[in-house]
Amino acid sequence: MELLAFIPSPAKGEIVPFGIPLRGYAFCIIIGVFVAVWLGGRRWIARGGRAGTVADIAVWAVPFGLVGGRLYHVITDYELYFSEGRNPVDALKIWEGGLGIWGAIALGALGAWIGCRRRGIPLPAYADAVAPGIAFAQAIGRWGNWFNQELYGRATDLPWALEITRADGGRVPGTYHPTFLYESLWCIGVAVLVIWADRRFKMGHGRAFALYVAAYCAGRGWIEYMRVDDVQMDDVLGLRLNVWTSILVFLLAVIYIVVSGRLRPGREEVVEPGDPEDAPSSEGSGTSSDKGSEESEESEESEESDGADGPSTAKRV
């Protein structure tokens, strides 16, 4: 049996689950969001929060993140949509790929802040809970780039090289470093690191999220340096824009971990107003209400009896 000397790319950028055509890129993003919300919800409850809170806030964070990610991509890759011969309408076709993680995190954080403010909970605590889930979501989402035959590195003949077959969009058929796979595996490692460090050091006040950011940037820097596909603005001092962004954000995240650890050590004691254990169950509250109603009715009947018949009537009964 002949073994493949490369990773084949899909002939089409879509899949057909249950007979419904769906872009592979969009499918990976959707699965990633579900994983992030599920894991974030479990971690939030473990920290003392209520079930459903993470999902409620995600209703704000996810749309903001998608818009932010798309805006970042369009701005840094504007020539793909607004240069001569290009169609600006393509900037709206998010299903064809093109989300910038920095824009997604920035506007996603704004959406999460709005959701947290509405629920009266601290954003740093929420960010700590969802941090590993976001890393797992990125790991899954990167496979959307596999469907679109994008995010690849320099040419190589290694056994795990990625085969590029489409020649459109400046792509040259051949075998290249699968940087999308490198980043996917790196994100899994980041998620595991954050979960371990959070359990070991009881990280709070946004430090678990900052660790995720720092660890992701450390990997994104060298992975981005390998890429050769068409992306973003011209290089700055010999490095791609995303490499410089990774360096800057990495430093900011490390500074936050150090300073926050000194100013606010430990973890939040209360992450959500009200104790979930003190909240009465529907069954218990219904029983209590029924008893209160019965006692009230008995009291009213007693008062009416005393007022109408007087003490002598009460004695005769």
Side-chain angles (χ1 to χ4, degrees):
M1 182 176 67
E2 182 180 356
L3 297 177
L4 286 176
F6 53 82
I7 301 174
S9 291
K12 297 182 179 180
E14 65 180 20
I15 58 178
V16 189
F18 308 108
I20 303 175
L22 180 65
R23 294 287 302 190
Y25 187 89
F27 180 76
C28 292
I29 295 296
I30 293 171
I31 296 299
V33 169
F34 273 106
V35 170
V37 172
W38 171 78
L39 180 58
R42 289 176 60 89
R43 286 173 51 81
W44 182 252
I45 293 173
R47 286 171 174 256
R50 298 174 184 245
T53 295
V54 168
D56 290 345
I57 296 176
V59 171
W60 289 90
V62 172
F64 272 72
L66 290 175
V67 171
R70 189 59 176 178
L71 284 175
Y72 182 90
H73 166 73
V74 171
I75 291 173
T76 56
D77 288 308
Y78 65 89
E79 70 279 0
L80 298 178
Y81 307 101
F82 302 105
S83 59
E84 185 178 357
R86 299 285 185 170
N87 185 1
V89 178
D90 291 341
L92 303 176
K93 299 178 180 179
I94 192 172
W95 55 88
E96 293 185 354
L99 289 175
I101 183 61
W102 313 117
I105 292 295
L107 272 192
L110 174 61
W113 176 79
I114 295 174
C116 287
R117 188 174 178 83
R118 290 168 61 89
R119 294 293 292 257
I121 63 178
L123 175 62
Y126 178 83
D128 285 340
V130 301
I134 294 177
F136 278 126
Q138 287 179 257
I140 297 171
R142 277 307 177 205
W143 283 89
N145 303 125
W146 176 63
F147 281 99
N148 288 348
Q149 296 196 30
E150 57 189 1
L151 267 65
Y152 51 87
R154 294 184 288 271
T156 181
D157 57 357
L158 290 171
W160 57 84
L162 174 68
E163 181 190 33
I164 296 298
T165 60
R166 302 177 199 164
D168 58 309
R171 288 171 286 201
V172 178
T175 56
Y176 300 84
H177 277 283
T179 50
F180 86 91
L181 177 60
Y182 298 161
E183 185 168 338
S184 179
L185 295 174
W186 184 270
C187 287
I188 293 175
V190 170
V192 173
L193 170 66
V194 173
I195 292 174
W196 171 82
D198 193 27
R199 291 178 177 176
R200 174 67 176 80
F201 302 106
K202 302 295 182 183
M203 305 181 79
H205 303 287
R207 287 187 290 277
F209 184 82
L211 176 61
Y212 145 72
V213 172
Y216 171 74
C217 290
R220 179 62 184 265
W222 66 265
I223 294 172
E224 188 73 28
Y225 186 74
M226 296 180 64
R227 287 173 56 182
V228 296
D229 54 320
D230 292 335
V231 291
Q232 55 184 285
M233 301 175 179
D234 295 334
D235 293 349
V236 179
L237 299 179
L239 294 177
R240 295 155 72 106
L241 176 62
N242 276 337
V243 175
W244 284 112
T245 304
S246 297
I247 295 173
L248 175 61
V249 176
F250 171 83
L251 293 175
L252 292 175
V254 171
I255 292 173
Y256 180 87
I257 292 174
V258 174
V259 175
S260 174
R262 293 180 178 179
L263 298 179
R264 307 184 70 181
R267 181 183 290 176
E268 299 91 340
E269 295 184 0
V270 179
V271 296
E272 190 165 5
D275 188 350
E277 295 182 357
D278 293 340
S281 63
S282 58
E283 181 180 354
S285 60
T287 303
S288 175
S289 176
D290 293 342
K291 289 181 179 179
S293 178
E294 291 174 0
E295 291 176 357
S296 177
E297 291 177 359
E298 291 177 357
S299 176
E300 290 178 358
E301 290 177 359
S302 176
E303 291 177 358
E304 290 177 358
S305 175
D306 291 344
D309 299 328
S312 57
T313 304
K315 289 180 182 178
R316 285 197 302 270
V317 173

